[in-house]
Amino acid sequence: MKLVKSLLLGSAAGIAAVAGAQAADLPSRKAAPVEYVRVCSAFGANFFYLPGTDTCLRIGGRVRAEYSFGERWSAGQDAFGTRARGRIFLDARNQTAYGTLRTFIRYDLTTTTGVYRYGGTNSAANRFSGLNGVNQDDSIGLTDAVIQLGPLTAGRTASMFQFYANDYTFHGARTSDRQVNLLAYTASFGGGFTATLSLEDPRTTGRLGTAAFTGGYAGMTYPDVVGQIRVDQGWGSASLSGAFGDRSTYSNPYAPTFGTGAKQDEMGWAVQAGVKINLPMLAAGDALFVQAAYADGALEYIGWGSNAGHGRVAAYPVGNYGVEFGRLKSNTGYTILAAMRHYWTPAIRSDFLVSYSALQTAGFIPGSTKSYDPKELVASANLVWSPVSGLDIGVEVLYARTEFGGRIPDAKAFAINGKTIKSDDSWSGRLRIQRDF
């Protein structure tokens, strides 16, 4: 028995030795090194290095669900609306001998119905449903596509004119919250002081008017020239900005086609001053914005488009010969606003906004010798709860009132023929659920 056991152990040892010798003769293969994603802390949180490069990338976005309710003035109007918005952005940065090189791109995809299609201070809030109640609008928008290298900024981004750009509240006030195609240079002087000179294309923010309302088409000779002086320090920020540009028009709306119109050259301009004061003595994160702006011809810089009204006005234009550029004389206007954010607790905050805006227009109300000359008051307040980081659940109440220089058709005219009004009031509410990542 011992002899058999010894033979078996010896055989096993021999086989193992032969196998080991053969393995030693085979070529060795090393596993390829694994390149792990590394955290990049040079530009703040949520950046990581692109493998094999020195470029830091951040991927982020937003999903927003919103529901709005307001007063209904006729059977053809919607009393509510819904909005769903998705956002995605890419932010790539790396250091160079010329300063930080940054490329940033952001897309917003939105579906809206009801009051969102026509509601708001920046358009006529007539709230009319579409044919057979179909009232949906889908949009895909390139919000940002910009390259920055040190002091140079090129591409599509926020106008260098703006300061308070609807930073607080759900509902926007009339202000220069605009994305434009631009080429800008920013000089830094230390201590938080900067000065920016920017060439901007105002046509990239949407139409400057329509042939039906302007009496002509704008043929621009040069881009808008925008300048801003700004300071950012521990107490807050302050800004002084100005803009001017060509607002030429044709006296004949068919001139671009038939070549018979006379070109009217005018220059539009705007100025704005604002201050933001941090209020840590109240609560961490508290701040107050105060801003005022005046425009002559270039009314898009104070947030006006081609319409006025909030609920009862049926998509009424605020100038028969144009809002932004005028015809024989310019339209002028101003906007003043105050906005505040207060944290009741680290997870609960409120935003408060009051704004007042007024225009003097070159157009007259049809059948009247009086101009539209709208005057608008907007006030809103909200309450937002952030149960976890990046998630907001909030409600907001808005009051808006517009007064006109003369009597204009009422939205109720669809039910009561010929009725006119001189002022337009509306109350509305909004529920928002939003996740940022």
Side-chain angles (χ1 to χ4, degrees):
M1 188 68 180
K2 290 182 179 181
L3 178 59
V4 174
K5 188 175 182 180
S6 298
L7 290 173
L8 291 174
L9 291 174
S11 299
I15 293 172
V18 172
Q22 290 176 344
D25 294 336
L26 295 175
S28 61
R29 298 182 60 186
K30 294 183 179 180
V34 178
E35 189 166 4
Y36 296 97
V37 174
R38 295 178 295 135
V39 173
C40 174
S41 58
F43 304 105
N46 302 320
F47 282 89
F48 62 90
Y49 284 100
L50 287 174
T53 74
D54 61 351
T55 298
C56 298
L57 179 68
R58 182 188 174 191
I59 303 173
R62 166 182 293 174
V63 175
R64 174 186 295 173
E66 216 171 68
Y67 313 87
S68 182
F69 299 85
E71 194 167 4
R72 189 183 188 195
W73 291 102
S74 76
Q77 293 179 328
D78 293 316
F80 74 96
T82 61
R83 170 181 289 167
R85 172 167 293 169
R87 170 178 297 175
I88 189 72
F89 69 82
L90 301 174
D91 189 348
R93 309 185 196 186
N94 60 282
Q95 297 290 359
T96 74
Y98 304 97
T100 301
L101 173 60
R102 182 192 186 200
T103 53
F104 182 84
I105 184 169
R106 189 184 98 188
Y107 268 94
D108 286 337
L109 300 87
T110 307
T111 295
T112 58
T113 70
V115 298
Y116 284 101
R117 290 197 63 201
Y118 300 99
T121 57
N122 295 324
S123 62
N126 55 35
R127 303 190 178 106
F128 283 100
S129 288
L131 182 64
N132 298 323
V134 178
N135 189 8
Q136 177 178 321
D137 183 36
D138 299 321
S139 64
I140 300 177
L142 178 65
T143 308
D144 291 275
V146 63
I147 300 171
Q148 294 175 299
L149 178 60
L152 183 68
T153 301
R156 180 175 179 82
T157 188
S159 170
M160 297 299 174
F161 182 88
Q162 66 192 41
F163 183 59
Y164 176 80
N166 292 316
D167 302 83
Y168 303 155
T169 74
F170 302 167
H171 192 283
R174 291 199 187 275
T175 183
S176 182
D177 184 8
R178 305 160 60 242
Q179 303 296 114
V180 297
N181 293 355
L182 57 75
L183 178 62
Y185 182 89
T186 300
S188 299
F189 304 103
F193 287 87
T194 59
T196 300
L197 181 64
S198 178
L199 300 178
E200 303 184 0
D201 187 348
R203 295 167 298 187
T204 57
T205 64
R207 63 189 181 187
L208 292 175
T210 64
F213 297 155
T214 65
Y217 293 82
M220 304 188 71
T221 306
Y222 54 88
D224 285 3
V225 180
V226 176
Q228 183 187 62
I229 300 174
R230 179 171 175 139
V231 59
D232 295 278
Q233 296 179 345
W235 58 267
S237 306
S239 168
L240 177 64
S241 55
F244 69 88
D246 181 21
R247 292 298 184 273
S248 60
T249 63
Y250 286 98
S251 60
N252 181 342
Y254 300 102
T257 301
F258 299 104
T260 58
K263 189 172 182 290
Q264 175 84 24
D265 282 317
E266 292 187 3
M267 186 183 76
W269 57 273
V271 293
Q272 179 175 272
V275 61
K276 176 188 178 185
I277 302 173
N278 296 327
L279 302 172
M281 70 290 293
L282 298 181
D286 281 21
L288 171 68
F289 274 97
V290 179
Q291 179 176 284
Y294 179 86
D296 185 331
L299 299 188
E300 67 271 23
Y301 283 98
I302 59 173
W304 280 90
S306 297
N307 298 289
H310 297 276
R312 201 167 177 178
V313 178
Y316 224 69
V318 298
N320 218 24
Y321 292 112
V323 178
E324 290 84 0
F325 22 78
R327 189 178 184 187
L328 299 178
K329 70 173 185 176
S330 295
N331 298 291
T332 62
Y334 66 88
T335 297
I336 56 176
L337 66 85
M340 179 179 178
R341 172 164 290 179
H342 173 61
Y343 283 85
W344 305 101
T345 73
I348 300 176
R349 70 176 189 269
S350 288
D351 298 324
F352 305 93
L353 170 72
V354 177
S355 71
Y356 184 81
S357 188
L359 296 183
Q360 287 186 331
T361 66
F364 294 98
I365 299 172
S368 171
T369 59
K370 296 183 178 180
S371 297
Y372 294 96
D373 294 344
K375 298 176 177 61
E376 177 185 273
L377 171 68
V378 174
S380 65
N382 64 32
L383 183 65
V384 181
W385 175 44
S386 301
V388 296
S389 177
L391 177 64
D392 288 344
I393 302 173
V395 293
E396 182 170 278
V397 176
L398 172 85
Y399 171 76
R401 177 179 177 83
T402 305
E403 296 181 351
F404 295 89
R407 301 190 69 85
I408 64 174
D410 184 1
K412 281 189 173 181
F414 285 85
I416 305 174
N417 189 29
K419 186 175 181 180
T420 61
I421 57 173
K422 193 173 180 179
S423 64
D424 171 31
D425 294 80
S426 73
W427 286 90
S428 60
R430 193 172 293 194
L431 167 65
R432 172 181 290 181
I433 303 173
Q434 177 175 296
R435 165 78 190 282
D436 290 279
F437 59 91

